[in-house]
Amino acid sequence: MNAAPRVPRRVRVRAPELIGKGGWLNTGGKALTLADLRGKCVVVDFWTFCCINCLHVLDELRELEEKHRDTVVVVGVHSPKFAHEAEHRAVVDAVERYGVEHPVLDDPELATWKQYAVRAWPTLVVIDPEGYVVAQHSGEGHAHAIERLVEELEAEHAAKGTLRRGDGPYVAPEPEPTVLRFPGRALALPNGNLLVSDTTRHQLVELAEDAETVVRRIGSGVRGCVDGTAEAAGFSEPQGLALLDEGTVVVADTVNHALRRVDLATGAVGTLAGTGRQWWRGSPTTGPAREVDLSSPWDVALFGGKVWIAMAGVHQLWTYDPESETVAVAAGTTNEGLVDGPGPEAWFAQPSGLAATADRLWLADSETSALRWVDPDGTVHTAVGTGLFDFGHRDGAAEQALLQHPLGVTALPDGSVAVSDTYNHALRRYDPATGEVTTLATDLREPSDAVLVGDDILVVESARHRLTRLRLPEEVVRGESAAHRTQRAVIDVAPGSVRLDVIFRAPAGQKLDSRYGGPSTRLLVSATPPGLLLAGEGAGTHLSRTVELDPAVGEGVLHVSATAASCDDDPAGGISRSKTGGEHPACHVHQQDWGVPVRLTEGGADRLPLVLAGRDG
C-alpha cells in the first residue's frame, strides 16, 4: 500500500466571506460565496487598478491560472484607493482593459479588505479547498511561491478527497465591436494622420485626419513580443508613442517591458530596448539597450537628443540614447513618493505621461496626482501636487490646486500645458506664467492623452474608446471643487517607540539569497509629514526596526518599503534555470511598499507588523 503524502502542519484560520457592495464581475451575473469555491485552491488578489504593482501581479498570475486551471480559482477583490476607483463602471472598464480572466468582486467600501486585515496593494491570500487561509503575501514576486504551495495543497487534498477538479466560475463577457478599445496614446504623424496605441487589443492603429477612419493596423492583435511585419508583430498593452525621426516611431510596449520601433513606411516592428523581462532590484540600470531589463515603460518623449522613458514600474525616468543604443537611469531612486531636487535624489510615483518643450520635460506623476517637470540639467520640480494621499478637482493657485491620477500631459503653443486629468474625467491647464490651474473641459471619460492638431486638441477618451476633438482656446469651465484623501483604516499606535516588523518567511524549498555575501533584505522607512519620525528614518538591511514617533505631530503616514531575495535551496546541489536563463539556483525578489496611516494614541499598539510573505506569529 502506498503511503499517504506527508501533510505539512499549518495554522488553520477560517477564511472570512467575500462581500462587496459593487457585486461580482466575470461570473455571468452570479454572486459567489466561499461555499461555491469549496474544493478549489483559491487565490484572493486584493488590487486596485491605479496601482502598477497590482498590474504586475495580474500578469504574474496568468501562468498559474493557465497551468492549474482545473484546481485553482483566482478571485480578484477590487479595493479602491482613488474616489474614481469606487465607481462600479470604472471597475467594469478596468477588468476588461487589463484582460482579467477570473471573477472579480467590486468592494468599494473595503469591507472584505478590512475582514482580511489587508494593509497594502497588492496582497495575495491563499485559501485551501476546505476554506481555511493558509498563506498571505504582499507585493510582487510571489507567484513562484504560491505555485509551490498550490502543488502541495493539490497533493494533500487529493489524498484527503477534498480536492474538486473541473472548470471554475469564470464567465467571459461579450466583446464590444468598437474601432478602438481603451486606447492609451495618440501621435500626430508627418503625413497628417494619427497613430493611436489600441492598448487592450495589443495593436497600433493609424487613423486618417478625421480621427475616425482606419488606414491600417500594426500588430497581429495577439498578446506577445514578436518582431516582424505589421501583420505578424506582437505587442502587449502598448502605451506611449514618440517620433524618433520622420520615419520612425518609438513605442512604450508596457507589459512587454520593452521599447519597440515602427518603420512608418512599411509598418515593420523591431525592438530598441529591453529583454522582455521585468527589471528587479539589483539588475543592471545601464548598458546596451537590448541587454537591460525595463519595468512597465508607460510613455516616451524626445528631449535633449535622447528618448526619455516614464518607467512607471520602478518610479523612475530612464533614457535611451539612439546614438550609442544604450539605456540609463536619469532620475528617481525607485522609492515611491514626491521629492524634488537633483535627478538621482528625486522620488516619483508611477510617472505616466511625458511632453517635451525646448527647456522642460513635463511629467504626469500619476500616483501623487502631480504635474512635475525636469530641467535640462536634470533637476526635478513640482508644479501641482503634494503627495501620495491628496487628490481631487480644484482649480486656482497651483500650490492648492488638485488633480486625480493624471496620465497625460500636452505642451500648448502659449507655453502652458494641458493635463489629461484621468480620474477627474477632465482636461486641465497649468500656466507657468501665472501659476494658475484651470479646467478646459469636463465629461471626458478617463482621458489618458491629448494631441494638438492645428487649432484643435484631440483628447484620447480611453473609456469611451475614441478620440474627441475640442477647439482651442476653449472657454474655461469651472468644475465643482472637491478634495479627497485616500480612505484607509487608521491604526492607533503609541507615541514614542514603536517596533516595526516586516514579516518575511522564505517559501518552502527556498532560503534567503546569500550567494554574493551581501544583504538579502532591505528596509526603507520615511513619513508624511517628515516630522512624525524622530528616529528610525532611512534605509537598512534588517526587516525589523524601532522607530520613534513624535507625540506633538499626532498623526500621519508611515512609508515602508521592503525587499527580500530568496533562492531555491537544493540540498542535493541540483541545478535549476533562473529567470535570466543561467543554470544556477533560481532566485526570486519579493518587494512591497506600504503607506500606513497612523494616529498617536496613549495605549495604542507599540508594534506594527507588516506581512511581506508568511503570517505574523
Side-chain angles (χ1 to χ4, degrees):
M1 179 180 295
N2 293 331
R6 179 177 174 271
V7 178
R9 293 177 59 84
R10 298 189 184 93
V11 177
R12 290 169 66 82
V13 176
R14 178 67 71 180
E17 191 54 81
L18 303 174
I19 55 174
K21 186 176 180 181
W24 287 89
L25 307 176
N26 283 355
T27 63
K30 179 182 178 180
L32 296 181
T33 66
L34 285 177
D36 297 326
L37 304 175
R38 198 62 51 83
K40 298 287 190 181
C41 303
V42 179
V43 180
V44 183
D45 175 19
F46 290 89
W47 69 298
T48 189
F49 64 78
C50 72
C51 165
I52 192 67
N53 311 94
C54 297
L55 303 187
H56 289 165
V57 168
L58 286 176
D59 293 322
E60 289 177 3
L61 291 175
R62 293 186 203 280
E63 185 176 346
L64 175 70
E65 291 182 88
E66 181 61 33
K67 186 175 178 181
H68 298 269
R69 185 171 296 278
D70 66 337
T71 58
V72 171
V73 174
V74 176
V75 174
V77 176
H78 188 270
S79 311
K81 171 186 174 181
F82 288 98
H84 169 59
E85 292 175 309
E87 298 175 15
H88 182 68
R89 178 70 245 177
V91 180
V92 173
D93 287 343
V95 167
E96 181 187 352
R97 181 195 301 268
Y98 297 115
V100 180
E101 295 184 354
H102 53 247
V104 174
L105 175 64
D106 181 11
D107 183 20
E109 297 176 347
L110 305 182
T112 296
W113 166 287
K114 293 170 186 174
Q115 287 293 313
Y116 280 78
V118 176
R119 288 181 176 160
W121 298 277
T123 291
L124 297 166
V125 175
V126 182
I127 301 172
D128 74 12
E130 294 180 292
Y132 291 93
V133 173
V134 293
Q136 179 174 328
H137 302 271
S138 292
E140 301 179 52
H142 301 294
H144 65 284
I146 290 174
E147 181 173 13
R148 182 167 294 189
L149 175 57
V150 162
E151 290 170 349
E152 291 179 4
L153 292 172
E154 288 173 340
E156 174 185 339
H157 288 273
K160 292 172 64 176
T162 50
L163 183 71
R164 176 166 57 90
R165 295 184 180 273
D167 292 338
Y170 169 68
V171 178
E174 288 294 323
E176 297 285 342
T178 54
V179 172
L180 303 172
R181 204 70 191 160
F182 297 104
R185 292 288 191 268
L187 175 69
L189 298 177
N191 65 1
N193 289 347
L194 296 152
L195 190 64
V196 181
S197 53
D198 197 13
T199 303
T200 297
R201 292 199 177 123
H202 315 298
Q203 290 180 319
L204 308 181
V205 179
E206 184 174 344
L207 300 178
E209 294 182 45
D210 63 5
E212 295 179 2
T213 305
V214 175
V215 175
R216 61 174 168 171
R217 292 182 178 269
I218 300 173
S220 66
V222 177
R223 186 192 293 270
C225 191
V226 179
D227 290 341
T229 64
E231 297 76 21
F235 298 96
S236 188
E237 299 181 27
Q239 287 282 350
L241 306 167
L243 278 171
L244 185 59
D245 53 49
E246 289 291 300
T248 307
V249 170
V250 181
V251 182
D253 195 5
T254 304
V255 178
N256 277 328
H257 309 296
L259 293 191
R260 315 293 293 283
R261 67 178 299 277
V262 175
D263 185 322
L264 289 175
T266 66
V269 177
T271 299
L272 290 176
T275 63
R277 296 184 298 269
Q278 183 184 339
W279 185 93
W280 291 96
R281 192 179 300 278
S283 299
T285 55
T286 185
R290 295 286 302 274
E291 299 176 15
V292 177
D293 299 340
L294 308 182
S295 183
S296 298
W298 207 275
D299 203 5
V300 283
L302 196 62
F303 180 63
K306 295 181 180 179
V307 176
W308 285 64
I309 310 165
M311 203 73 79
V314 286
H315 317 300
Q316 289 181 313
L317 300 179
W318 288 37
T319 58
Y320 166 75
D321 187 338
E323 294 295 324
S324 62
E325 298 184 348
T326 57
V327 293
V329 175
T333 63
T334 75
N335 299 325
E336 185 177 15
L338 194 154
V339 177
D340 290 340
E345 301 172 13
W347 290 24
F348 301 97
Q350 285 180 217
S352 300
L354 301 174
T357 64
D359 58 354
R360 289 187 181 185
L361 179 71
W362 291 99
L363 163 71
D365 203 27
S366 63
E367 279 290 282
T368 54
S369 296
L371 173 66
R372 308 176 74 183
W373 82 87
V374 183
D375 282 341
D377 67 2
T379 303
V380 179
H381 309 264
T382 297
V384 183
T386 59
L388 285 164
F389 301 98
D390 294 296
F391 57 91
H393 188 153
R394 189 163 64 199
D395 286 341
E399 57 268 20
Q400 58 87 48
L402 294 172
L403 309 169
Q404 186 180 180
H405 198 79
L407 290 178
V409 60
T410 306
L412 299 178
D414 64 354
S416 65
V417 291
V419 180
S420 295
D421 194 6
T422 309
Y423 287 4
N424 280 327
H425 310 299
L427 189 68
R428 312 286 293 282
R429 176 177 176 264
Y430 168 69
D431 187 351
T434 64
E436 291 287 313
V437 175
T438 54
T439 298
L440 293 174
T442 57
D443 192 31
L444 298 165
R445 189 69 185 169
E446 292 194 18
S448 56
D449 193 21
V451 59
L452 287 172
V453 179
D455 293 332
D456 296 339
I457 188 165
L458 285 173
V459 180
V460 180
E461 281 198 89
S462 187
R464 283 200 178 113
H465 320 292
R466 70 187 189 192
L467 273 58
T468 299
R469 189 180 300 269
L470 303 175
R471 176 66 62 177
L472 286 177
E474 283 286 318
E475 181 180 354
V476 173
V477 177
R478 288 286 177 182
E480 182 179 349
S481 180
H484 306 282
R485 285 186 63 82
T486 300
Q487 297 301 309
R488 276 184 278 173
V490 177
I491 299 173
D492 289 326
V493 298
S497 296
V498 173
R499 182 69 174 178
L500 180 64
D501 286 329
V502 173
I503 312 302
F504 177 77
R505 291 178 174 81
Q510 295 180 26
K511 62 180 181 180
L512 288 173
D513 181 6
S514 57
R515 288 175 301 152
Y516 303 114
S520 54
T521 57
R522 179 179 182 268
L523 180 66
L524 176 69
V525 180
S526 62
T528 302
L532 177 65
L533 274 176
L534 293 174
E537 184 179 13
T541 58
H542 295 288
L543 293 181
S544 294
R545 183 183 305 179
T546 299
V547 298
E548 192 80 16
L549 304 180
D550 188 351
V553 174
E555 63 179 346
V557 178
L558 287 175
H559 305 289
V560 182
S561 177
T563 304
S566 63
C567 280
D568 290 349
D569 182 15
D570 186 349
I575 298 297
S576 60
R577 187 166 293 277
S578 74
K579 279 177 63 176
T580 57
E583 289 192 349
H584 51 72
C587 295
H588 315 274
V589 178
H590 317 256
Q591 61 186 40
Q592 177 62 304
D593 297 320
W594 291 269
V596 184
V598 296
R599 179 171 50 226
L600 276 56
T601 306
E602 292 295 338
D606 60 3
R607 176 176 177 266
L608 180 59
L610 299 172
V611 176
L612 179 60
R615 295 181 62 192
D616 184 27

